[in-house]
Amino acid sequence: MLPIRLARFGIRSVAANCKRINIGSLSQVAREFSSDERPQFPGSRSQWTEKLEFIRPDLYDGIPVYRVMDRKGKVIDPSQDPQLSQEMVTKMYKCMTQLNTMDRILYESQRQGRISFYMTNYGEEGTHIGSAAALDPKDLIFGQYREAGTLMWRGFTLDQFMNQCYGNVDDGGKGKQMPVHYGSKELNFVTISSPLGTQMPQAVGAAYAYKRSQNGLCVMCYFGEGTSSEGDAHAALNFSATLDCPVIFFCRNNGYAISTPSKEQYRGDGIAGRGPAYGMLTIRVDGNDVFAVYNATLKARQVAISEMRPVLIEAMTYRIGHHSTSDDSTAYRSVDEVRYWDERDHPISRLRNYMLSKGWWGDAQEKEWKEDCKRQVMTAFARAEKKLKPNWKEIFTDVYHEMPSHIREQMKQMEEHVQKYAEHYPLKNFTKD
Amino acid sequence: MALRTFIKRNLILNNKCPLRISQRWSHFTFVPDTVSASEGETQRMNLFQAINNSLDIALTQDPTAVIFGEDVAFGGVFRCTVGLQEKHGKSRVFNTPLCEQGIAGFGIGAATAGATAIAEIQFADYILPAFDQICNEAAKYRYRSGGIYDCGSLTIRAPCSAVGHGAVYHSQSPEAFFAHCPGLKVVVPRGPIKAKGLLLSCIRDKNPCLFFEPKILYRSAVEQVPVKEYTMPLSKADILVEGDDITLVGWGTQVHVLREVCQLAKDQLNVSCELIDLVTILPWDKETIAQSVKKTGRLLIAHEAPLTSGFGAEIAASIQHECFLNLEAPIERVTGFDTPFPHMFEPFYMPDKWRCFEAVKKLVNY
């Protein structure tokens, strides 16, 4: 084996690498090469076949959907009931219903022009609460934008949600982003960004850093089925498997990416069908079954951390609401279709039925909680609305760790301008210096 | 017999081959920096060795530091990471799959989670798939989160600029794309001594940094580099030659081209040039350039990247604003043309010393 001359670069390194191959291993390789049993390609050593046969993508029904309860909330196989305490299950129920109530109020507030934008979580509450409940509160979450329930589960207050939506002086994000772009350092929820899928390779890098730090935690990455078409999704799944990262990929397959139905998003077996192709453990679950989501996430977490490998969960669900306040989904789907899911397969009603069957809930409690919940949401709402916005000079903060001179210069110029033309700027809505 | 000898004997010496393979055309002569004796022991290093040294120091001192990208494990296609995996381990210096958007995203996440992430993009020409991650995410991470999340411990390194034969996709200088993105830092070294210090500064800087390394300098730039650990300030331009008649601004390889222009101007025009290496493209040191132009009244900016919206445009716009009444002539830019980077025509494309010299002549006689 002669070292091949490479123009300009790498000549010596090729020669150095060649020196490392000794005669003993060369003859061993030669012996393996002479055996006809398996292909020897570095890319694949599977098996030989002499049959010209293409693999058909529609050969099988698709990866089955794991569930614990039927659509009415009755546990099918008792061994799969996670046997959570009444306290835990009640907390799950209250969290889902509070999320639902908050969604109704904030959606309405956008319609009334009080906030600029909102996205509801209707129908997907089970995916949020079921998964969040199975994680360690210190596991880092990278979300897409429809995972508010995971934050709520961890303790993000109604005030904090509302402050961000109003972009007021108490918004943790300092009024920089549109509503629903929440973030929390204490609750280990990375701030949401609008570009889809970008969070996915980031989640993998974070998981790698966690692995190196040996902190016993994993990273949770949420994304929708539409987002899974982005290049970043492919990058993330591939990197996570090749670099052995403790990350759980949780796909909320809710049937729509704005108006694009899933049958126009992919031709294969959903997102779960891709997992084995990347070399990762995969499961598809009923996303409207809180216990199925809980069980799968709990197991995925155990595997991710103990075996240092990624796991893919595809949670099948349905987006009952519009994509956002900028969308009217009656333009692309029937009201009947939406009604079916709202009335016949809703995570909240299924869990309620489970609680009723256990004697943990009743009409009186439902009425009391509904009123209490609404009152809490309304008072938080009123508080958020009254607050001023942050000082307008926040425009110039946090671009860099330290404010460089050119940004400071621009801030000064604007300060002078605003002073001169004060009556043309809505200063009374913003906190003063 | 060896191929080279065969060609030389049978083609070149017989005048049968129009190409003179043994001769290499270069548009510049590298001029090494020197350091004072107070910097301590030095070692002869070229650019890739200095970068290797800087990375080694970073990994030695910061247990969370990791280096990743395509082919970095065996030492990298430009040998910048040679020996690092052996020394620091496979979990700290590792290959990723071939995917620039993945490399950038992975780096951002690792930095967010507390690691010092040093990513390599194999050629700056291939950084574009990572543009979304770099500009929409990394640059804005701190701002959009109200300061509670950031990826300041991310550094992305990439070889850039012309190399003699790189053509369309191995010669690009993309600094201007990123200069337009608030939240990033963009740095271009001119030689080994600067590179070692600047890279360490970038790695330690609390903002995501892009470090573009002129690949033609990897072997040709050799200096006596201090072996100790040291950093160099970002956003501080270097005045390399002091002068009174005209200010010349460049970065990376172009600095060495401009050095020759200074000499030519002195010899042939009796013109005294002030040469400034910008060093950092973003945030850039407007103060130093403005001070110089207020003294000289003339400014020539030269860069390999195409003319329209190249970084020279930003310098020109800002300096005409700062120094309008001091200017004796319009600000001149000598740059690559508004075309993709061609292969065979590289000697005509580059902002070489003759085009720059001609521009100096024009400005001085305006």
Side-chain angles (χ1 to χ4, degrees), chain B residues 325-356:
Chain B
L325 294 175
N326 304 94
L327 288 169
E328 298 290 338
I331 297 175
E332 190 72 33
R333 294 174 291 161
V334 180
T335 69
F337 301 112
D338 282 339
T339 73
F341 199 108
H343 183 215
M344 298 315 301
F345 316 107
E346 183 164 325
F348 297 89
Y349 184 88
M350 297 292 279
D352 63 21
K353 60 188 176 218
W354 304 113
R355 284 176 61 201
C356 294

PDB file of all heavy atoms in Angstrom, chain B residues 325-356:
ATOM      1  N   LEU B 325     -15.771  65.689   6.525  1.00  0.00           N
ATOM      2  CA  LEU B 325     -15.017  66.915   6.253  1.00  0.00           C
ATOM      3  C   LEU B 325     -13.514  66.693   6.227  1.00  0.00           C
ATOM      4  O   LEU B 325     -12.767  67.547   5.779  1.00  0.00           O
ATOM      5  CB  LEU B 325     -15.382  67.983   7.287  1.00  0.00           C
ATOM      6  CG  LEU B 325     -16.839  68.462   7.198  1.00  0.00           C
ATOM      7  CD1 LEU B 325     -17.150  69.420   8.344  1.00  0.00           C
ATOM      8  CD2 LEU B 325     -17.114  69.134   5.860  1.00  0.00           C
ATOM      9  N   ASN B 326     -13.084  65.517   6.702  1.00  0.00           N
ATOM     10  CA  ASN B 326     -11.650  65.230   6.670  1.00  0.00           C
ATOM     11  C   ASN B 326     -11.210  64.588   5.371  1.00  0.00           C
ATOM     12  O   ASN B 326     -10.022  64.479   5.099  1.00  0.00           O
ATOM     13  CB  ASN B 326     -11.264  64.274   7.810  1.00  0.00           C
ATOM     14  CG  ASN B 326     -11.673  64.819   9.153  1.00  0.00           C
ATOM     15  OD1 ASN B 326     -12.735  64.515   9.647  1.00  0.00           O
ATOM     16  ND2 ASN B 326     -10.814  65.626   9.743  1.00  0.00           N
ATOM     17  N   LEU B 327     -12.193  64.116   4.583  1.00  0.00           N
ATOM     18  CA  LEU B 327     -11.837  63.336   3.391  1.00  0.00           C
ATOM     19  C   LEU B 327     -11.348  64.230   2.253  1.00  0.00           C
ATOM     20  O   LEU B 327     -11.980  65.229   1.908  1.00  0.00           O
ATOM     21  CB  LEU B 327     -13.032  62.505   2.923  1.00  0.00           C
ATOM     22  CG  LEU B 327     -13.382  61.302   3.810  1.00  0.00           C
ATOM     23  CD1 LEU B 327     -14.730  60.707   3.408  1.00  0.00           C
ATOM     24  CD2 LEU B 327     -12.299  60.232   3.716  1.00  0.00           C
ATOM     25  N   GLU B 328     -10.214  63.819   1.683  1.00  0.00           N
ATOM     26  CA  GLU B 328      -9.649  64.531   0.534  1.00  0.00           C
ATOM     27  C   GLU B 328     -10.057  63.863  -0.772  1.00  0.00           C
ATOM     28  O   GLU B 328      -9.848  64.407  -1.852  1.00  0.00           O
ATOM     29  CB  GLU B 328      -8.118  64.514   0.622  1.00  0.00           C
ATOM     30  CG  GLU B 328      -7.553  65.219   1.852  1.00  0.00           C
ATOM     31  CD  GLU B 328      -7.736  66.731   1.786  1.00  0.00           C
ATOM     32  OE1 GLU B 328      -7.898  67.280   0.666  1.00  0.00           O
ATOM     33  OE2 GLU B 328      -7.725  67.366   2.857  1.00  0.00           O
ATOM     34  N   ALA B 329     -10.579  62.671  -0.658  1.00  0.00           N
ATOM     35  CA  ALA B 329     -10.952  61.901  -1.849  1.00  0.00           C
ATOM     36  C   ALA B 329     -12.037  60.918  -1.457  1.00  0.00           C
ATOM     37  O   ALA B 329     -12.199  60.632  -0.259  1.00  0.00           O
ATOM     38  CB  ALA B 329      -9.730  61.139  -2.377  1.00  0.00           C
ATOM     39  N   PRO B 330     -12.786  60.387  -2.429  1.00  0.00           N
ATOM     40  CA  PRO B 330     -13.793  59.384  -2.079  1.00  0.00           C
ATOM     41  C   PRO B 330     -13.114  58.161  -1.476  1.00  0.00           C
ATOM     42  O   PRO B 330     -11.944  57.885  -1.745  1.00  0.00           O
ATOM     43  CB  PRO B 330     -14.428  59.009  -3.432  1.00  0.00           C
ATOM     44  CG  PRO B 330     -14.028  60.068  -4.373  1.00  0.00           C
ATOM     45  CD  PRO B 330     -12.758  60.656  -3.878  1.00  0.00           C
ATOM     46  N   ILE B 331     -13.867  57.430  -0.689  1.00  0.00           N
ATOM     47  CA  ILE B 331     -13.325  56.199  -0.122  1.00  0.00           C
ATOM     48  C   ILE B 331     -13.326  55.139  -1.219  1.00  0.00           C
ATOM     49  O   ILE B 331     -14.298  54.974  -1.945  1.00  0.00           O
ATOM     50  CB  ILE B 331     -14.190  55.750   1.073  1.00  0.00           C
ATOM     51  CG1 ILE B 331     -14.117  56.818   2.172  1.00  0.00           C
ATOM     52  CG2 ILE B 331     -13.715  54.398   1.595  1.00  0.00           C
ATOM     53  CD1 ILE B 331     -15.020  56.563   3.350  1.00  0.00           C
ATOM     54  N   GLU B 332     -12.199  54.431  -1.338  1.00  0.00           N
ATOM     55  CA  GLU B 332     -12.043  53.450  -2.409  1.00  0.00           C
ATOM     56  C   GLU B 332     -12.084  52.035  -1.849  1.00  0.00           C
ATOM     57  O   GLU B 332     -11.548  51.775  -0.779  1.00  0.00           O
ATOM     58  CB  GLU B 332     -10.705  53.688  -3.106  1.00  0.00           C
ATOM     59  CG  GLU B 332     -10.501  52.906  -4.388  1.00  0.00           C
ATOM     60  CD  GLU B 332     -11.364  53.426  -5.528  1.00  0.00           C
ATOM     61  OE1 GLU B 332     -11.621  54.650  -5.584  1.00  0.00           O
ATOM     62  OE2 GLU B 332     -11.784  52.614  -6.367  1.00  0.00           O
ATOM     63  N   ARG B 333     -12.737  51.146  -2.588  1.00  0.00           N
ATOM     64  CA  ARG B 333     -12.732  49.734  -2.209  1.00  0.00           C
ATOM     65  C   ARG B 333     -12.126  48.924  -3.346  1.00  0.00           C
ATOM     66  O   ARG B 333     -12.555  49.065  -4.493  1.00  0.00           O
ATOM     67  CB  ARG B 333     -14.149  49.243  -1.931  1.00  0.00           C
ATOM     68  CG  ARG B 333     -14.819  49.877  -0.729  1.00  0.00           C
ATOM     69  CD  ARG B 333     -16.267  49.447  -0.614  1.00  0.00           C
ATOM     70  NE  ARG B 333     -17.091  50.010  -1.680  1.00  0.00           N
ATOM     71  CZ  ARG B 333     -18.281  49.522  -2.026  1.00  0.00           C
ATOM     72  NH1 ARG B 333     -18.767  48.452  -1.430  1.00  0.00           N
ATOM     73  NH2 ARG B 333     -18.975  50.103  -2.989  1.00  0.00           N
ATOM     74  N   VAL B 334     -11.145  48.099  -3.032  1.00  0.00           N
ATOM     75  CA  VAL B 334     -10.586  47.178  -4.029  1.00  0.00           C
ATOM     76  C   VAL B 334     -10.925  45.776  -3.546  1.00  0.00           C
ATOM     77  O   VAL B 334     -10.477  45.351  -2.482  1.00  0.00           O
ATOM     78  CB  VAL B 334      -9.067  47.341  -4.167  1.00  0.00           C
ATOM     79  CG1 VAL B 334      -8.535  46.363  -5.211  1.00  0.00           C
ATOM     80  CG2 VAL B 334      -8.724  48.770  -4.557  1.00  0.00           C
ATOM     81  N   THR B 335     -11.749  45.101  -4.318  1.00  0.00           N
ATOM     82  CA  THR B 335     -12.311  43.849  -3.804  1.00  0.00           C
ATOM     83  C   THR B 335     -12.421  42.809  -4.908  1.00  0.00           C
ATOM     84  O   THR B 335     -12.110  43.084  -6.069  1.00  0.00           O
ATOM     85  CB  THR B 335     -13.737  44.095  -3.285  1.00  0.00           C
ATOM     86  OG1 THR B 335     -14.586  44.376  -4.410  1.00  0.00           O
ATOM     87  CG2 THR B 335     -13.802  45.259  -2.322  1.00  0.00           C
ATOM     88  N   GLY B 336     -12.890  41.633  -4.518  1.00  0.00           N
ATOM     89  CA  GLY B 336     -13.278  40.649  -5.526  1.00  0.00           C
ATOM     90  C   GLY B 336     -14.426  41.242  -6.336  1.00  0.00           C
ATOM     91  O   GLY B 336     -15.114  42.160  -5.875  1.00  0.00           O
ATOM     92  N   PHE B 337     -14.633  40.716  -7.536  1.00  0.00           N
ATOM     93  CA  PHE B 337     -15.726  41.229  -8.372  1.00  0.00           C
ATOM     94  C   PHE B 337     -17.053  40.631  -7.929  1.00  0.00           C
ATOM     95  O   PHE B 337     -17.107  39.673  -7.167  1.00  0.00           O
ATOM     96  CB  PHE B 337     -15.446  40.916  -9.848  1.00  0.00           C
ATOM     97  CG  PHE B 337     -14.166  41.512 -10.320  1.00  0.00           C
ATOM     98  CD1 PHE B 337     -13.079  40.707 -10.651  1.00  0.00           C
ATOM     99  CD2 PHE B 337     -14.013  42.892 -10.398  1.00  0.00           C
ATOM    100  CE1 PHE B 337     -11.871  41.257 -11.071  1.00  0.00           C
ATOM    101  CE2 PHE B 337     -12.808  43.449 -10.801  1.00  0.00           C
ATOM    102  CZ  PHE B 337     -11.736  42.636 -11.131  1.00  0.00           C
ATOM    103  N   ASP B 338     -18.114  41.239  -8.449  1.00  0.00           N
ATOM    104  CA  ASP B 338     -19.451  40.732  -8.111  1.00  0.00           C
ATOM    105  C   ASP B 338     -19.770  39.496  -8.931  1.00  0.00           C
ATOM    106  O   ASP B 338     -20.723  39.460  -9.711  1.00  0.00           O
ATOM    107  CB  ASP B 338     -20.504  41.819  -8.347  1.00  0.00           C
ATOM    108  CG  ASP B 338     -20.532  42.848  -7.232  1.00  0.00           C
ATOM    109  OD1 ASP B 338     -20.056  42.529  -6.126  1.00  0.00           O
ATOM    110  OD2 ASP B 338     -21.028  43.965  -7.461  1.00  0.00           O
ATOM    111  N   THR B 339     -18.915  38.505  -8.744  1.00  0.00           N
ATOM    112  CA  THR B 339     -19.128  37.232  -9.441  1.00  0.00           C
ATOM    113  C   THR B 339     -18.797  36.138  -8.451  1.00  0.00           C
ATOM    114  O   THR B 339     -18.128  36.391  -7.450  1.00  0.00           O
ATOM    115  CB  THR B 339     -18.179  37.078 -10.641  1.00  0.00           C
ATOM    116  OG1 THR B 339     -16.842  36.808 -10.143  1.00  0.00           O
ATOM    117  CG2 THR B 339     -18.141  38.326 -11.501  1.00  0.00           C
ATOM    118  N   PRO B 340     -19.240  34.923  -8.711  1.00  0.00           N
ATOM    119  CA  PRO B 340     -18.708  33.826  -7.894  1.00  0.00           C
ATOM    120  C   PRO B 340     -17.193  33.729  -8.112  1.00  0.00           C
ATOM    121  O   PRO B 340     -16.668  34.274  -9.081  1.00  0.00           O
ATOM    122  CB  PRO B 340     -19.435  32.593  -8.442  1.00  0.00           C
ATOM    123  CG  PRO B 340     -20.669  33.129  -9.076  1.00  0.00           C
ATOM    124  CD  PRO B 340     -20.275  34.469  -9.638  1.00  0.00           C
ATOM    125  N   PHE B 341     -16.528  33.035  -7.221  1.00  0.00           N
ATOM    126  CA  PHE B 341     -15.069  32.980  -7.259  1.00  0.00           C
ATOM    127  C   PHE B 341     -14.609  31.996  -8.330  1.00  0.00           C
ATOM    128  O   PHE B 341     -14.846  30.796  -8.216  1.00  0.00           O
ATOM    129  CB  PHE B 341     -14.558  32.548  -5.882  1.00  0.00           C
ATOM    130  CG  PHE B 341     -13.138  32.876  -5.635  1.00  0.00           C
ATOM    131  CD1 PHE B 341     -12.785  33.885  -4.753  1.00  0.00           C
ATOM    132  CD2 PHE B 341     -12.127  32.179  -6.290  1.00  0.00           C
ATOM    133  CE1 PHE B 341     -11.459  34.200  -4.512  1.00  0.00           C
ATOM    134  CE2 PHE B 341     -10.793  32.487  -6.069  1.00  0.00           C
ATOM    135  CZ  PHE B 341     -10.461  33.503  -5.168  1.00  0.00           C
ATOM    136  N   PRO B 342     -13.933  32.473  -9.362  1.00  0.00           N
ATOM    137  CA  PRO B 342     -13.602  31.589 -10.483  1.00  0.00           C
ATOM    138  C   PRO B 342     -12.334  30.767 -10.244  1.00  0.00           C
ATOM    139  O   PRO B 342     -11.510  31.113  -9.404  1.00  0.00           O
ATOM    140  CB  PRO B 342     -13.363  32.586 -11.624  1.00  0.00           C
ATOM    141  CG  PRO B 342     -12.790  33.775 -10.921  1.00  0.00           C
ATOM    142  CD  PRO B 342     -13.404  33.835  -9.551  1.00  0.00           C
ATOM    143  N   HIS B 343     -12.163  29.721 -11.007  1.00  0.00           N
ATOM    144  CA  HIS B 343     -11.032  28.828 -10.826  1.00  0.00           C
ATOM    145  C   HIS B 343      -9.802  29.310 -11.573  1.00  0.00           C
ATOM    146  O   HIS B 343      -8.826  29.782 -10.993  1.00  0.00           O
ATOM    147  CB  HIS B 343     -11.410  27.408 -11.264  1.00  0.00           C
ATOM    148  CG  HIS B 343     -10.310  26.423 -11.037  1.00  0.00           C
ATOM    149  ND1 HIS B 343     -10.058  25.363 -11.888  1.00  0.00           N
ATOM    150  CD2 HIS B 343      -9.373  26.337 -10.054  1.00  0.00           C
ATOM    151  CE1 HIS B 343      -9.024  24.669 -11.431  1.00  0.00           C
ATOM    152  NE2 HIS B 343      -8.595  25.240 -10.327  1.00  0.00           N
ATOM    153  N   MET B 344      -9.837  29.212 -12.902  1.00  0.00           N
ATOM    154  CA  MET B 344      -8.646  29.523 -13.693  1.00  0.00           C
ATOM    155  C   MET B 344      -8.274  30.990 -13.628  1.00  0.00           C
ATOM    156  O   MET B 344      -7.139  31.348 -13.873  1.00  0.00           O
ATOM    157  CB  MET B 344      -8.860  29.132 -15.158  1.00  0.00           C
ATOM    158  CG  MET B 344      -9.101  27.656 -15.394  1.00  0.00           C
ATOM    159  SD  MET B 344      -7.972  26.593 -14.466  1.00  0.00           S
ATOM    160  CE  MET B 344      -6.396  27.147 -15.103  1.00  0.00           C
ATOM    161  N   PHE B 345      -9.241  31.810 -13.341  1.00  0.00           N
ATOM    162  CA  PHE B 345      -9.012  33.260 -13.441  1.00  0.00           C
ATOM    163  C   PHE B 345      -8.662  33.916 -12.120  1.00  0.00           C
ATOM    164  O   PHE B 345      -8.719  35.138 -11.992  1.00  0.00           O
ATOM    165  CB  PHE B 345     -10.266  33.929 -14.023  1.00  0.00           C
ATOM    166  CG  PHE B 345     -10.822  33.179 -15.189  1.00  0.00           C
ATOM    167  CD1 PHE B 345     -11.997  32.449 -15.063  1.00  0.00           C
ATOM    168  CD2 PHE B 345     -10.148  33.143 -16.403  1.00  0.00           C
ATOM    169  CE1 PHE B 345     -12.516  31.723 -16.123  1.00  0.00           C
ATOM    170  CE2 PHE B 345     -10.650  32.413 -17.474  1.00  0.00           C
ATOM    171  CZ  PHE B 345     -11.832  31.708 -17.330  1.00  0.00           C
ATOM    172  N   GLU B 346      -8.287  33.111 -11.132  1.00  0.00           N
ATOM    173  CA  GLU B 346      -8.006  33.671  -9.811  1.00  0.00           C
ATOM    174  C   GLU B 346      -7.032  34.844  -9.847  1.00  0.00           C
ATOM    175  O   GLU B 346      -7.259  35.844  -9.171  1.00  0.00           O
ATOM    176  CB  GLU B 346      -7.513  32.578  -8.846  1.00  0.00           C
ATOM    177  CG  GLU B 346      -7.284  33.109  -7.441  1.00  0.00           C
ATOM    178  CD  GLU B 346      -7.164  32.031  -6.381  1.00  0.00           C
ATOM    179  OE1 GLU B 346      -7.830  30.989  -6.469  1.00  0.00           O
ATOM    180  OE2 GLU B 346      -6.376  32.243  -5.431  1.00  0.00           O
ATOM    181  N   PRO B 347      -5.930  34.789 -10.648  1.00  0.00           N
ATOM    182  CA  PRO B 347      -5.014  35.934 -10.651  1.00  0.00           C
ATOM    183  C   PRO B 347      -5.666  37.237 -11.089  1.00  0.00           C
ATOM    184  O   PRO B 347      -5.178  38.314 -10.754  1.00  0.00           O
ATOM    185  CB  PRO B 347      -3.930  35.523 -11.655  1.00  0.00           C
ATOM    186  CG  PRO B 347      -4.024  34.048 -11.752  1.00  0.00           C
ATOM    187  CD  PRO B 347      -5.460  33.706 -11.512  1.00  0.00           C
ATOM    188  N   PHE B 348      -6.767  37.129 -11.823  1.00  0.00           N
ATOM    189  CA  PHE B 348      -7.441  38.341 -12.279  1.00  0.00           C
ATOM    190  C   PHE B 348      -8.519  38.786 -11.303  1.00  0.00           C
ATOM    191  O   PHE B 348      -8.939  39.938 -11.297  1.00  0.00           O
ATOM    192  CB  PHE B 348      -8.096  38.104 -13.643  1.00  0.00           C
ATOM    193  CG  PHE B 348      -7.102  37.789 -14.724  1.00  0.00           C
ATOM    194  CD1 PHE B 348      -6.722  36.477 -14.980  1.00  0.00           C
ATOM    195  CD2 PHE B 348      -6.528  38.812 -15.470  1.00  0.00           C
ATOM    196  CE1 PHE B 348      -5.795  36.181 -15.962  1.00  0.00           C
ATOM    197  CE2 PHE B 348      -5.608  38.526 -16.463  1.00  0.00           C
ATOM    198  CZ  PHE B 348      -5.232  37.212 -16.708  1.00  0.00           C
ATOM    199  N   TYR B 349      -8.982  37.824 -10.513  1.00  0.00           N
ATOM    200  CA  TYR B 349     -10.110  38.111  -9.611  1.00  0.00           C
ATOM    201  C   TYR B 349      -9.665  38.821  -8.343  1.00  0.00           C
ATOM    202  O   TYR B 349     -10.358  39.685  -7.806  1.00  0.00           O
ATOM    203  CB  TYR B 349     -10.807  36.791  -9.247  1.00  0.00           C
ATOM    204  CG  TYR B 349     -12.028  36.978  -8.398  1.00  0.00           C
ATOM    205  CD1 TYR B 349     -13.281  37.188  -8.980  1.00  0.00           C
ATOM    206  CD2 TYR B 349     -11.947  36.964  -7.008  1.00  0.00           C
ATOM    207  CE1 TYR B 349     -14.410  37.378  -8.206  1.00  0.00           C
ATOM    208  CE2 TYR B 349     -13.071  37.151  -6.234  1.00  0.00           C
ATOM    209  CZ  TYR B 349     -14.299  37.354  -6.834  1.00  0.00           C
ATOM    210  OH  TYR B 349     -15.416  37.539  -6.058  1.00  0.00           O
ATOM    211  N   MET B 350      -8.481  38.408  -7.866  1.00  0.00           N
ATOM    212  CA  MET B 350      -8.046  38.871  -6.542  1.00  0.00           C
ATOM    213  C   MET B 350      -7.781  40.371  -6.504  1.00  0.00           C
ATOM    214  O   MET B 350      -7.333  40.963  -7.496  1.00  0.00           O
ATOM    215  CB  MET B 350      -6.759  38.134  -6.151  1.00  0.00           C
ATOM    216  CG  MET B 350      -6.952  36.645  -6.007  1.00  0.00           C
ATOM    217  SD  MET B 350      -7.982  36.275  -4.600  1.00  0.00           S
ATOM    218  CE  MET B 350      -6.757  36.399  -3.310  1.00  0.00           C
ATOM    219  N   PRO B 351      -8.031  40.994  -5.345  1.00  0.00           N
ATOM    220  CA  PRO B 351      -7.665  42.399  -5.169  1.00  0.00           C
ATOM    221  C   PRO B 351      -6.156  42.486  -4.937  1.00  0.00           C
ATOM    222  O   PRO B 351      -5.692  42.742  -3.829  1.00  0.00           O
ATOM    223  CB  PRO B 351      -8.454  42.807  -3.929  1.00  0.00           C
ATOM    224  CG  PRO B 351      -8.619  41.545  -3.146  1.00  0.00           C
ATOM    225  CD  PRO B 351      -8.670  40.417  -4.131  1.00  0.00           C
ATOM    226  N   ASP B 352      -5.384  42.249  -5.983  1.00  0.00           N
ATOM    227  CA  ASP B 352      -3.925  42.112  -5.832  1.00  0.00           C
ATOM    228  C   ASP B 352      -3.240  43.461  -5.605  1.00  0.00           C
ATOM    229  O   ASP B 352      -3.885  44.515  -5.643  1.00  0.00           O
ATOM    230  CB  ASP B 352      -3.332  41.391  -7.040  1.00  0.00           C
ATOM    231  CG  ASP B 352      -3.524  42.171  -8.338  1.00  0.00           C
ATOM    232  OD1 ASP B 352      -3.747  43.404  -8.292  1.00  0.00           O
ATOM    233  OD2 ASP B 352      -3.449  41.549  -9.407  1.00  0.00           O
ATOM    234  N   LYS B 353      -1.918  43.397  -5.397  1.00  0.00           N
ATOM    235  CA  LYS B 353      -1.205  44.620  -5.028  1.00  0.00           C
ATOM    236  C   LYS B 353      -1.240  45.658  -6.139  1.00  0.00           C
ATOM    237  O   LYS B 353      -1.164  46.854  -5.870  1.00  0.00           O
ATOM    238  CB  LYS B 353       0.235  44.307  -4.636  1.00  0.00           C
ATOM    239  CG  LYS B 353       1.074  43.663  -5.705  1.00  0.00           C
ATOM    240  CD  LYS B 353       2.422  43.228  -5.116  1.00  0.00           C
ATOM    241  CE  LYS B 353       3.215  42.493  -6.160  1.00  0.00           C
ATOM    242  NZ  LYS B 353       3.958  41.367  -5.613  1.00  0.00           N
ATOM    243  N   TRP B 354      -1.375  45.218  -7.421  1.00  0.00           N
ATOM    244  CA  TRP B 354      -1.392  46.185  -8.532  1.00  0.00           C
ATOM    245  C   TRP B 354      -2.707  46.944  -8.591  1.00  0.00           C
ATOM    246  O   TRP B 354      -2.721  48.155  -8.850  1.00  0.00           O
ATOM    247  CB  TRP B 354      -1.078  45.482  -9.859  1.00  0.00           C
ATOM    248  CG  TRP B 354       0.223  44.777  -9.774  1.00  0.00           C
ATOM    249  CD1 TRP B 354       0.455  43.443  -9.805  1.00  0.00           C
ATOM    250  CD2 TRP B 354       1.499  45.394  -9.533  1.00  0.00           C
ATOM    251  NE1 TRP B 354       1.795  43.173  -9.616  1.00  0.00           N
ATOM    252  CE2 TRP B 354       2.454  44.358  -9.448  1.00  0.00           C
ATOM    253  CE3 TRP B 354       1.936  46.722  -9.392  1.00  0.00           C
ATOM    254  CZ2 TRP B 354       3.808  44.599  -9.240  1.00  0.00           C
ATOM    255  CZ3 TRP B 354       3.281  46.957  -9.180  1.00  0.00           C
ATOM    256  CH2 TRP B 354       4.208  45.899  -9.114  1.00  0.00           C
ATOM    257  N   ARG B 355      -3.810  46.243  -8.329  1.00  0.00           N
ATOM    258  CA  ARG B 355      -5.093  46.940  -8.301  1.00  0.00           C
ATOM    259  C   ARG B 355      -5.125  47.895  -7.116  1.00  0.00           C
ATOM    260  O   ARG B 355      -5.637  49.014  -7.205  1.00  0.00           O
ATOM    261  CB  ARG B 355      -6.248  45.936  -8.215  1.00  0.00           C
ATOM    262  CG  ARG B 355      -6.549  45.213  -9.532  1.00  0.00           C
ATOM    263  CD  ARG B 355      -7.645  44.156  -9.372  1.00  0.00           C
ATOM    264  NE  ARG B 355      -8.898  44.758  -8.944  1.00  0.00           N
ATOM    265  CZ  ARG B 355      -9.884  44.082  -8.337  1.00  0.00           C
ATOM    266  NH1 ARG B 355      -9.757  42.778  -8.090  1.00  0.00           N
ATOM    267  NH2 ARG B 355     -10.998  44.682  -7.983  1.00  0.00           N
ATOM    268  N   CYS B 356      -4.576  47.436  -5.978  1.00  0.00           N
ATOM    269  CA  CYS B 356      -4.560  48.303  -4.800  1.00  0.00           C
ATOM    270  C   CYS B 356      -3.621  49.490  -5.027  1.00  0.00           C
ATOM    271  O   CYS B 356      -3.941  50.635  -4.677  1.00  0.00           O
ATOM    272  CB  CYS B 356      -4.105  47.518  -3.563  1.00  0.00           C
ATOM    273  SG  CYS B 356      -5.268  46.228  -3.069  1.00  0.00           S
TER     274      CYS B 356
END
